[in-house]
């Protein structure tokens, strides 16, 4: 191969490399831009700054080929029986994901109404309760700080009322703190202590 042929060969190689690089960039840019949102997204409330203000993932647990995600939801909550009275309230929703897609296991309106064992296996209910308890106690500055804050927030007719604990909450408190907050009442459904007009405004 003479000098002229060598230069021609080198130029062809460089040109081929540039073509490959450009094709590679062309193929991969759209896939990055078209990346799908999280698999839980279709099962979450829409943040519209009117009814729902914020959604935050608190944690997850795995059980039998499913992953269960706990989300906190900051929303506008009506004050019964006044249709035009609202307050901002943090509630939760539980969403599971498997190879098929996502499923709302517990809606925001059902979360505080009964034990999670009504909707998911006991092990899942316990782990989710522990995840939630860890999150709220850490935010408060520790278990004792959280108990103090909760007790001090009860006033008027709520002063001195027992902590309402579902079975999974009992397990979570014993696992995290080794004790239950005093005084407490173990229930499986809020209907045991409140009628359907109950609103957990000060919970």
């Amino acid at each position: 191969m003479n000098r002229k042929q060598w230069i021609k060969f080198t130029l062809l190689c460089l040109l081929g490399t540039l073509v490959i690089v450009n094709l590679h960039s062309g193929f991969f840019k759209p896939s990055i831009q078209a990346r799908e949102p999280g698999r839980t997204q279709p099962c979450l409330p829409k943040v519209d700054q009117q009814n729902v203000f914020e959604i935050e993932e608190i944690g997850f647990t795995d059980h039998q080929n499913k992953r269960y995600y706990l989300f906190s939801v900051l929303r506008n909550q009506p004050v019964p029986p006044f249709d035009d009275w609202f307050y901002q309230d943090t509630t939760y929703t539980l969403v599971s994901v498997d190879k098929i897609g996502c499923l709302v296991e517990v809606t925001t309106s059902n979360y505080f109404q009964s034990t999670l064992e009504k909707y998911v296996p006991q092990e899942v209910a316990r782990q989710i309760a522990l995840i939630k308890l860890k999150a709220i106690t850490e935010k408060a500055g520790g278990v004792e700080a959280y108990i103090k804050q909760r007790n001090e927030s009860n006033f008027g007719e709520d002063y001195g009322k027992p902590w309402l604990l579902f079975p999974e909450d009992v397990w979570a408190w014993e696992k995290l703190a080794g004790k239950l907050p005093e005084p407490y009442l173990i229930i499986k459904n809020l209907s045991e202590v409140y009628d359907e007009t109950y609103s957990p405004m000060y919970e």
Side-chain angles (χ1 to χ4, degrees), residues 46-65:
K46 183 179 179 181
V47 177
D48 56 13
Q49 301 304 322
Q50 292 182 344
N51 299 304
V52 177
F53 301 99
E54 184 179 85
I55 297 176
E56 179 184 359
E57 181 184 324
I58 304 301
F60 64 86
T61 187
D62 295 317
H63 182 74
Q64 294 184 351
N65 300 318

Side-chain angles (χ1 to χ4, degrees), residues 105-166:
E105 300 284 355
V106 187
T107 64
T108 55
S109 58
N110 285 337
Y111 197 88
F112 288 111
Q113 302 304 307
S114 61
T115 172
L116 293 180
E117 294 178 12
K118 177 181 176 181
Y119 305 98
V120 296
Q122 183 185 71
E123 179 60 24
V124 174
R126 288 179 170 183
Q127 292 300 326
I128 291 298
L130 182 59
I131 288 169
K132 180 167 73 73
L133 184 60
K134 282 182 177 179
I136 58 181
T137 53
E138 287 175 6
K139 187 176 181 180
V143 172
E144 296 301 327
Y146 173 62
I147 292 175
K148 183 179 179 181
Q149 288 178 19
R150 274 288 306 273
N151 286 338
E152 290 178 349
S153 68
N154 288 337
F155 57 90
E157 294 182 356
D158 292 327
Y159 183 76
K161 282 191 175 181
W163 290 58
L164 301 180
L165 303 176
F166 296 120

